[in-house]
Amino acid sequence: MSNRAIIFDTTLRDGEQSPGATMNLQEKLRLARQLQLLGVDVIEAGFPASSSGDFEAVRAISAAVKDVQVAGLCRAAEGDIDKGWQALKDAENPRLHVFLATSPIHMQYKLRKTPEQVLEITERAVRYAARYTSNVEFSAEDASRSDRDFLARVFSVAIAAGATTINVPDTVGYAQPAEYGELIRYVIEHTRDAHKAVFSVHCHNDLGLAVANTLSALNNGARQAELALGGIGERAGNAALEEVCMALKVRQDAYGLETRIQSEQIYPSCRMLSLIIGRPIAANKAIVGGNAFAHESGVHQDGMLKNRETYEIMTPQSIGRTSSDLVIGKHSGRNAVHTRLEELGYQLDEEQTRIVFEAVKQLADKKAAIHDEDLESIVFSEVYRMPDRFRLLNLSVQSSTASMPSTAAVELQTPEGVARLAGFGAGPIDATFNVISQLVGQPTDLEQFAINAITGGTDAQGEVSVRLRDGDALAGGRGSDPDIIVASAKAFIDAHNRLAQKKRS
Ligand code: KIV
Ligand code: ZN
């Protein structure tokens, strides 16, 4: 059996199904290019038949990336498969990913089909997809709650019809590591011509076991893992790419599996995702969280000083977490900024570099050292931001400890021109949000609000993320600034812009 694990990234498909994690086309393209640098084998770029936005994203990513397979998800229906192929056909190495549920509960209540009908539909859909390409993946949705002998029959039919990857998803995150490993072993042993396909796993994290289940499956014969950066995905998310890949690397002795992952690109990739979806990385997140390499207790610090391996099983450098201070002051040149941006993987044209340089200089007036994270934050908010419908021009707030409410005065650029308003709130952020809501005229519910410091130090930039709901539409926004109220206003406006864009598309 091969000792190579195929890394299939589904951040742009299942990951994007995470509430509030929607990305626009440019953002998906940017992330896809980063995933290519990270060295994933397959990028699942979307579900082409589900919306015109997904179709366009799969098409654009197919044309943009090289040396990586691009997959498009399709239901087991000819219309979906045709749409999928139209979106994928320009890819260097396209993959049609066809799925159909196989558990009793899904077949009876969702599909309203008998097991025999499910076998027929599988056969027909996979054969139809295989007319387009030999790279066909078949997923048995809710496999972990399916009858294992029935699963093996479905997989035998799928392989006979032309599937070359067989995916065994734990769709609802129900499986336990040992039993899931056994299931994988069982279906591989009982599927006809199993050697003609790569067995794959796709685990959800409802019981917090997605990574453990994925690793158990790899130990039992699976050779493809479907993962998402930061573990984002439907409900509690998918198995986190950074955790599975670093477990395989750090515990090579336990798994004996190789991947193509360039581990130094792990942190930049997770950071890019966080900036795009406006969701900070939790401090205690394994591998990429702010505390992952922080040693607090005196005993630990003492041990680290004597030998880092006493408390560190991998280095921050191995995941691309290097902290270099770019000392920018009044006299620093544009070249220094340009060079560091290139080193960080950002290819900006002259005008974009000028914009970043101006913002860096303004920031350098307020804080002593500019870190890579500051620089990235500027790139995302000043250069990559979506064409803004609303933009913050000025903000002035007043807080009070007495019975007086806080006040905020806001000046906003809107499509109709410059708008100004002042108002009150329970605190300065509440006052700011109240005024912006009135100026924007888009009633929303604030579902989440979080402030993080981008770097250390009291002059660090605050990075605020918010999540807004307008009926069924959800959007996340982020903003950064050394002043946390300004950062909050920027994040709130960013989320409004994304909501407005969502409603228009
Ligand atoms: O969770 C799941 O079963 C899926 C399939 C469509 C692969 O996302
Ligand atoms: Zn899934």
Side-chain angles (χ1 to χ4, degrees):
M1 184 170 279
S2 152
N3 70 344
R4 172 92 154 73
I6 296 169
I7 302 300
F8 175 115
D9 180 275
T10 187
T11 310
L12 294 165
R13 198 278 296 170
D14 210 320
E16 211 215 3
Q17 289 171 218
S18 167
T22 30
M23 301 171 228
N24 66 26
L25 180 61
Q26 290 312 319
E27 291 166 337
K28 286 184 182 177
L29 270 168
R30 200 166 296 130
L31 196 58
R33 292 197 178 98
Q34 178 60 35
L35 289 168
Q36 185 186 326
L37 274 183
L38 175 61
V40 304
D41 298 285
V42 187
I43 295 175
E44 186 164 50
F47 185 170
S50 69
S51 70
S52 55
D54 259 43
F55 181 87
E56 284 310 325
V58 175
R59 200 158 65 148
I61 291 169
S62 296
V65 296
K66 299 277 167 274
D67 295 328
V68 57
Q69 299 178 44
V70 182
L73 184 69
C74 316
R75 281 163 296 203
E78 292 186 0
D80 265 38
I81 296 168
D82 290 337
K83 259 256 141 74
W85 185 251
Q86 280 168 33
L88 286 167
K89 64 182 188 317
D90 289 336
E92 203 175 67
N93 195 347
R95 174 183 293 194
L96 280 168
H97 180 187
V98 177
F99 76 99
L100 184 63
T102 52
S103 64
I105 187 165
H106 276 235
M107 289 191 290
Q108 183 179 351
Y109 293 101
K110 191 182 80 172
L111 299 177
R112 298 191 192 283
K113 301 279 181 222
T114 64
E116 289 310 312
Q117 286 173 314
V118 164
L119 281 165
E120 271 168 40
I121 299 169
T122 302
E123 208 278 329
R124 224 179 313 129
V126 173
R127 197 169 292 288
Y128 189 78
R131 288 184 0 190
Y132 284 122
T133 171
S134 58
N135 191 353
V136 177
E137 171 168 342
F138 175 76
S139 281
E141 194 188 9
D142 206 16
S144 55
R145 292 193 299 168
S146 304
D147 176 83
R148 43 179 69 188
D149 290 313
F150 178 62
L151 259 189
R153 280 180 70 201
V154 173
F155 292 155
S156 303
V157 161
I159 292 173
T164 44
T165 301
I166 293 292
N167 188 30
V168 191
D170 181 24
T171 302
V172 290
Y174 178 75
Q176 300 297 301
E179 97 193 353
Y180 191 55
E182 270 170 39
L183 173 70
I184 300 299
R185 189 170 288 279
Y186 186 88
V187 292
I188 293 177
E189 281 171 6
H190 290 81
T191 295
R192 207 179 323 115
D193 290 333
H195 65 280
K196 291 189 178 166
V198 170
F199 278 73
S200 164
V201 287
H202 173 113
C203 298
H204 280 271
N205 207 27
D206 299 66
L207 292 173
L209 293 170
V211 169
N213 284 334
T214 302
L215 293 169
S216 170
L218 290 170
N219 249 348
N220 282 280
R223 286 295 175 267
Q224 173 176 286
E226 301 198 354
L227 310 166
L229 290 173
I232 66 167
E234 187 77 39
R235 303 182 313 281
N238 288 85
L241 183 144
E242 62 279 13
E243 295 177 24
V244 171
C245 293
M246 287 312 283
L248 294 179
K249 184 176 162 104
V250 172
R251 294 305 310 274
Q252 166 73 21
D253 59 322
Y255 300 101
L257 292 173
E258 304 286 345
T259 71
R260 283 201 324 159
I261 292 296
Q262 303 297 311
S263 66
E264 301 75 23
Q265 291 296 335
I266 282 184
Y267 182 66
S269 305
C270 291
R271 174 86 184 135
M272 178 181 283
L273 174 71
S274 152
L275 287 165
I276 288 176
I277 64 175
R279 199 179 291 173
I281 300 174
N284 65 338
K285 171 76 189 60
I287 318 290
V288 290
N291 291 349
F293 297 94
H295 301 272
E296 174 76 19
S297 107
V299 175
H300 288 209
Q301 288 174 352
D302 181 55
M304 284 288 290
L305 288 173
K306 291 174 175 148
N307 180 340
R308 295 191 74 83
E309 285 179 23
T310 50
Y311 288 103
E312 221 167 65
I313 58 167
M314 59 196 150
T315 62
Q317 290 76 14
S318 68
I319 61 146
R321 202 163 180 160
T322 49
S323 155
S324 97
D325 287 351
L326 181 72
V327 183
I328 290 285
K330 300 249 174 291
H331 310 293
S332 304
R334 191 182 298 193
N335 252 348
V337 175
H338 187 71
T339 307
R340 188 64 195 142
L341 284 168
E342 276 196 344
E343 284 166 2
L344 291 171
Y346 296 96
Q347 309 287 343
L348 302 187
D349 62 26
E350 223 174 283
E351 175 58 10
Q352 292 171 327
T353 308
R354 187 193 63 74
I355 294 170
V356 175
F357 184 61
E358 289 309 318
V360 165
K361 285 205 135 188
Q362 278 184 21
L363 186 60
D365 279 342
K366 298 182 191 162
K367 79 191 282 276
I370 308 290
H371 299 255
D372 291 345
E373 287 87 348
D374 293 316
L375 209 52
E376 286 184 317
S377 177
I378 290 173
V379 172
F380 274 80
S381 52
E382 301 298 324
V383 176
Y384 287 166
R385 70 178 176 219
M386 298 183 297
D388 286 349
R389 199 171 156 73
F390 308 106
R391 200 153 48 81
L392 182 68
L393 297 177
N394 277 303
L395 169 66
S396 163
V397 290
Q398 192 158 18
S399 305
S400 160
T401 50
S403 50
M404 274 286 292
S406 296
T407 56
V410 179
E411 193 178 58
L412 206 63
Q413 181 70 54
T414 74
E416 291 75 38
V418 175
R420 282 186 204 91
L421 195 70
F424 302 103
I429 292 178
D430 187 45
T432 305
F433 285 6
N434 286 343
V435 173
I436 293 172
S437 296
Q438 288 180 55
L439 286 172
V440 163
Q442 195 169 240
T444 51
D445 292 322
L446 178 65
E447 288 206 338
Q448 261 178 28
F449 174 83
I451 304 183
N452 270 349
I454 296 188
T455 55
T458 49
D459 65 354
Q461 286 203 84
E463 184 174 54
V464 174
S465 37
V466 301
R467 196 158 90 193
L468 293 185
R469 177 183 288 282
D470 180 1
D472 284 344
L474 264 182
R478 64 166 288 282
S480 56
D481 197 275
D483 180 323
I484 55 168
I485 301 176
V486 175
S488 304
K490 286 181 179 172
F492 196 64
I493 293 168
D494 184 35
H496 269 288
N497 280 323
R498 286 170 188 263
L499 262 184
Q501 152 127 357
K502 220 170 178 181
K503 282 176 153 175
R504 282 199 303 273
S505 64

